[in-house]
Amino acid sequence: MESKEYVLSKMREVGLNSATLFQEKAPELDGTAIIDRDDDIPDFNPDLHQYLNWQKGQVVKDNGQVWQLLQPYDSTVYKDHPENLRAQWSLCHTKDPLKAKPYVTPLGTSGMYMKDECCTENGKVYRSKIDNNVWTPSGYPAGWEEVIL
């Protein structure tokens, strides 16, 4: 094996180990800590991963958002994206305005914004001023404050 191939294989191995350890810890972490490790989160792929074998609390990235598994399910049957499988996936939010993700409408209790959690809307970053916030920043300005970066 050439040295370049060897180095690349070792880098992949280290990356895989880091991502695996992160997934083991994810159930204990809040959204801010999870999104802070965005690079270690795998992309959602029901053709590659069988989410029936995953543990509650593990995370995926999909369409610019980070989702945490609420309950394992058969992804050979339910191939839709997490945003459409809210009984299986919960949306993660961050309190770090530099890592804020675009606003996503909560569904039931899944994805409600808690006090100090951030989102983006129309190119601006907002921080929730209240718990259980289900409104867009433009739809309920009293529930949000703009964060100037």
Side-chain angles (χ1 to χ4, degrees):
M1 180 186 296
E2 290 183 27
S3 63
K4 180 180 177 181
E5 289 175 27
Y6 176 78
V7 170
L8 288 173
S9 76
K10 285 299 177 187
M11 289 176 68
R12 286 186 198 100
E13 184 180 317
V14 168
L16 179 60
N17 287 339
S18 176
T20 300
L21 289 172
F22 172 66
Q23 285 288 16
E24 290 173 5
K25 292 179 183 179
E28 303 164 13
L29 303 175
D30 66 8
T32 301
I34 290 170
I35 291 172
D36 192 48
R37 298 278 305 271
D38 198 81
D39 291 339
D40 290 327
I41 301 172
D43 291 327
F44 174 77
N45 185 338
D47 295 322
L48 181 62
H49 299 292
Q50 172 48 279
Y51 297 106
L52 190 58
N53 302 323
W54 280 39
Q55 299 297 311
K56 178 182 176 184
Q58 291 185 309
V59 293
V60 296
K61 288 188 287 192
D62 191 47
N63 293 327
Q65 298 290 339
V66 175
W67 299 89
Q68 192 164 32
L69 188 65
L70 293 173
Q71 61 180 349
Y73 68 100
D74 188 343
S75 55
T76 63
V77 175
Y78 302 103
K79 289 187 177 272
D80 210 342
H81 293 268
E83 66 187 309
N84 298 319
L85 295 172
R86 300 298 278 276
Q88 284 79 26
W89 298 98
S90 179
L91 185 61
C92 292
H93 302 301
T94 182
K95 292 181 179 179
D96 181 349
L98 296 173
K99 297 202 175 193
K101 306 278 186 193
Y103 177 87
V104 172
T105 302
L107 183 61
T109 59
S110 174
M112 289 193 293
Y113 292 81
M114 297 296 134
K115 188 174 188 314
D116 296 327
E117 290 182 337
C118 299
C119 72
T120 63
E121 183 186 55
N122 299 322
K124 296 180 181 178
V125 177
Y126 294 91
R127 179 180 292 119
S128 180
K129 293 166 52 176
I130 58 174
D131 281 334
N132 305 316
N133 195 344
V134 297
W135 300 280
T136 63
S138 60
Y140 184 59
W144 298 90
E145 64 183 347
E146 185 177 347
V147 178
I148 307 299
L149 300 176

